[in-house]
Amino acid sequence: MATRTLETDVLVVGAGPVGLMLAGELRLGGAATVVLERRDAPTTESRASTLHARTMELLDSRGLLDALGTPPDEPRGHFGGVPLDLTLPSPWPGQWKVPQTRTEELLQDWALGLGADLRRGYALRAVRVGAETGAGDEGAAGGERTAGDGSAGGVEVVAAGPGGRALRVRARFVVGCDGEDSTLRRLTGAGFPGRDAGRELLRADVAGIDVPDRRFQRLEKGLAIAARRGDGVTRVMVHEFGAEPRGGEPDFGEVAQVWKRVTGEDISSGDPLWVNSFGDADRQLDAYRRGSVLFAGDAAHQQMPIGGQALNLGLQDAVNLGWKLAAEVRGRAPAGLLDTYHAERHAVGRRVLANIRAQALLLLGGPEVEPVRALLGELIAERPQVRAHLAGMISGLDIRYGTDAEDRLLGARLPYVRLRGPDGPSDTADLLRTGGRGLLLDLAGDARLRTAVRPWADRIVTVTARPAPDSALGAARAVLVRPDGYVAWTGTEGAPGGPEIALKNWFGISDRN
């Protein structure tokens, strides 16, 4: 049977939320994109159901939230099971409950609508790095060919598809978004240093049981969590203090036995819809980019999914990478832009993994951790700065990339601020819906500034508006924002120079320069 050959700019491996988010971002930037997924159909398991404020802001900037309707919002989260108010200044404070099945459906519709080519039922079998890229018999998937055709340094992947038919994909870049057991990572020999799980939580969605709802209830023999959904199904999670990971996925009988030992309740007569476990393994790639091979989401970092941080971390990886990789394949990226993906997101991942390790100790530790839990609870309740620090870390709102500058806007996300422009009231959330382009926010009506940015008009949306007094924009007279919503430059009264250097550093040399 002949092997089909397909040519594209970027091959994304994995059609979970991270891979689909990345595919949409790449198409916004004009990169031809193919997504290969080994599953024949979307998952029916809703593993992750929490979207934090920063992720909601990013989805809003891509115009995706209207399709979600109004998901349940819960301002109260936790740090290692210790209650924590997550409310911070944002149009989407707190945490939003969206089943992973719905998140995947939303992102798939978006990515396909933008022209991504999704092929299900394809499992990776071989990867060759350094392959020549040339025209395949199906042409360029998802868009026209771009600068750099025929150059060395690409990737060739062979996958087994439906009916055993092989597919060869030649791409300039490949990105592994295929989870913590990443096949791409294994085939390319990328090391995944860290430690294996020493503790685990057993988890099951069960119909036909009636147990009290529990939010991190610590009992004599272990930890029990139960939440009954509107459809009558109860999600139970349980950890027996001192128990080591069993190895392999549990069956429902094991979950019911541990639940009974910890709570004294018998759930064995229930109907299990889904059973799994997750441990406190902790691993992170040394490098998120190795030439033409990149990784995002759980393929780049493995962590216990405490408080929904794993999904949100991966989605934010995708948004950071997408516009940079699209600029690279279209020949618009300044030197070193793509390397900032690793520099920025590896540091964020390292910090998130550290806070998850701390939370795992607090959550799964036995009686020995009770004094620490009590002290942390006091600090959260009595020290607002402690609460805000932890909430900013978990929500992703406190991320600040690559600078120690005194200007606290620089490198941080553009804060939510109400504005008034020529067309009336608006806010920064409205202005960030740029279709994947950057934003120059002119706060002083500076005609020279608008002239300076004109050569980048195809990559930057320019808006003139004035903020309310004492806004979070401080003394800034202008703000340049990257496509992922982070501030690349600010202009203040009397400050020398304009935005040209930042424009070249982040958006490349314009054809009009």
Side-chain angles (χ1 to χ4, degrees):
M1 185 179 295
T3 299
R4 293 174 297 158
T5 301
L6 186 65
E7 175 92 359
T8 191
D9 287 330
V10 182
L11 171 64
V12 177
V13 181
V18 176
L20 294 169
M21 186 86 221
L22 178 60
E25 291 292 306
L26 288 166
R27 290 301 301 139
L28 275 183
T33 305
V34 170
V35 183
L36 296 186
E37 169 55 52
R38 63 177 177 79
R39 296 173 301 177
D40 295 326
T43 182
T44 59
E45 298 176 353
S46 193
R47 293 172 179 260
S49 60
T50 297
L51 298 178
H52 286 299
R54 181 61 191 141
T55 300
M56 293 290 284
E57 290 179 354
L58 291 169
L59 295 176
D60 186 20
S61 73
R62 301 308 187 241
L64 293 171
L65 291 188
D66 286 347
L68 281 183
T70 307
D73 176 27
E74 173 56 66
R76 185 180 64 159
H78 71 95
F79 190 91
V82 178
L84 175 68
D85 182 355
L86 293 173
T87 304
L88 289 172
S90 167
W92 304 97
Q95 54 184 354
W96 300 78
K97 295 302 181 180
V98 181
Q100 182 173 324
T101 50
R102 180 66 186 108
T103 301
E104 286 193 16
E105 180 184 37
L106 174 75
L107 295 175
Q108 176 175 300
D109 290 347
W110 178 59
L112 295 182
L114 290 170
D117 182 352
L118 171 59
R119 305 202 175 201
R120 291 190 175 275
Y122 286 90
L124 260 62
R125 291 292 181 261
V127 179
R128 184 164 68 92
V129 180
E132 291 282 338
T133 58
D137 61 57
E138 294 189 39
E144 69 283 355
R145 291 304 302 153
T146 56
D149 293 351
S151 64
V155 180
E156 182 176 277
V157 165
V158 176
R165 189 177 184 187
L167 174 68
R168 177 182 292 110
V169 183
R170 293 178 179 142
R172 296 183 60 195
F173 293 90
V174 60
V175 186
C177 301
D178 50 343
E180 61 185 37
D181 296 321
S182 169
T183 301
L184 181 66
R185 197 179 61 228
R186 176 176 55 81
L187 290 174
T188 56
F192 203 35
R195 63 178 182 81
D196 293 331
R199 296 167 177 162
E200 70 177 352
L201 267 171
L202 305 181
R203 176 169 57 176
D205 285 350
V206 190
I209 63 172
D210 185 13
V211 297
D213 279 2
R214 293 175 166 93
R215 185 178 175 87
F216 306 109
Q217 184 180 23
R218 293 174 62 82
L219 300 164
E220 180 183 357
K221 295 183 179 180
L223 172 75
I225 303 163
R228 189 179 180 89
R229 304 192 314 226
D231 60 2
V233 173
T234 300
R235 172 163 292 185
V236 298
M237 291 187 279
V238 62
H239 169 72
E240 191 170 15
F241 292 147
E244 296 182 354
R246 313 153 13 274
E249 291 296 339
D251 59 37
F252 180 60
E254 292 175 281
V255 176
Q257 289 172 11
V258 176
W259 184 266
K260 188 169 185 178
R261 288 199 298 268
V262 170
T263 69
E265 298 167 353
D266 187 357
I267 61 172
S268 61
S269 62
D271 179 18
L273 307 180
W274 174 54
V275 179
N276 83 333
S277 64
F278 55 93
D280 61 347
D282 183 89
R283 296 185 178 278
Q284 186 179 27
L285 284 172
D286 289 331
Y288 285 12
R289 179 192 178 194
R290 297 174 184 271
S292 52
V293 181
L294 302 100
F295 296 90
D298 288 350
H301 40 76
Q302 181 183 6
Q303 59 286 304
M304 196 171 196
I306 294 179
Q309 288 187 93
L311 172 62
N312 290 269
L313 181 63
L315 291 172
Q316 292 170 41
D317 287 345
V319 176
N320 184 286
L321 174 59
W323 66 278
K324 297 173 181 177
L325 187 50
E328 182 74 23
V329 300
R330 295 193 66 192
R332 290 182 165 187
L337 177 67
L338 191 52
D339 288 329
T340 67
Y341 167 63
H342 166 82
E344 293 180 345
R345 294 306 297 174
H346 190 274
V348 171
R350 185 170 61 246
R351 185 170 184 244
V352 170
L353 264 62
N355 94 52
I356 287 178
R357 284 196 300 272
Q359 291 194 69
L361 290 171
L362 291 170
L363 192 63
L364 304 182
E368 72 277 5
V369 303
E370 290 301 333
V372 180
R373 292 174 57 84
L375 177 59
L376 180 61
E378 290 179 14
L379 291 173
I380 290 172
E382 299 178 11
R383 296 289 187 269
Q385 65 272 31
V386 172
R387 183 206 69 83
H389 177 83
L390 295 176
M393 181 188 302
I394 290 173
S395 66
L397 294 175
D398 73 344
I399 293 170
R400 187 173 180 226
Y401 290 133
T403 179
D404 294 323
E406 292 183 5
D407 183 350
R408 299 306 298 173
L409 283 177
L410 197 60
R413 86 191 217 285
L414 182 67
Y416 178 67
V417 172
R418 296 191 182 278
L419 303 162
R420 178 168 291 277
D423 299 325
S426 65
D427 55 47
T428 49
D430 291 335
L431 301 185
L432 286 170
R433 300 185 190 106
T434 61
R437 290 179 290 172
L439 169 69
L440 180 72
L441 181 54
D442 176 6
L443 300 168
D446 188 339
R448 291 174 299 176
L449 184 67
R450 295 194 298 276
T451 299
V453 79
R454 194 169 296 151
W456 287 270
D458 59 335
R459 305 169 204 184
I460 303 287
V461 174
T462 301
V463 176
T464 300
R466 293 189 180 278
D470 301 320
S471 79
L473 294 175
R477 294 172 58 84
V479 182
L480 177 66
V481 186
R482 307 180 336 183
D484 56 358
Y486 290 86
V487 175
W489 171 85
T490 61
T492 56
E493 185 73 42
E500 291 86 353
I501 293 177
L503 285 162
K504 292 176 182 177
N505 285 343
W506 291 106
F507 296 93
I509 303 296
S510 169
D511 297 335
R512 304 181 190 181
N513 286 127

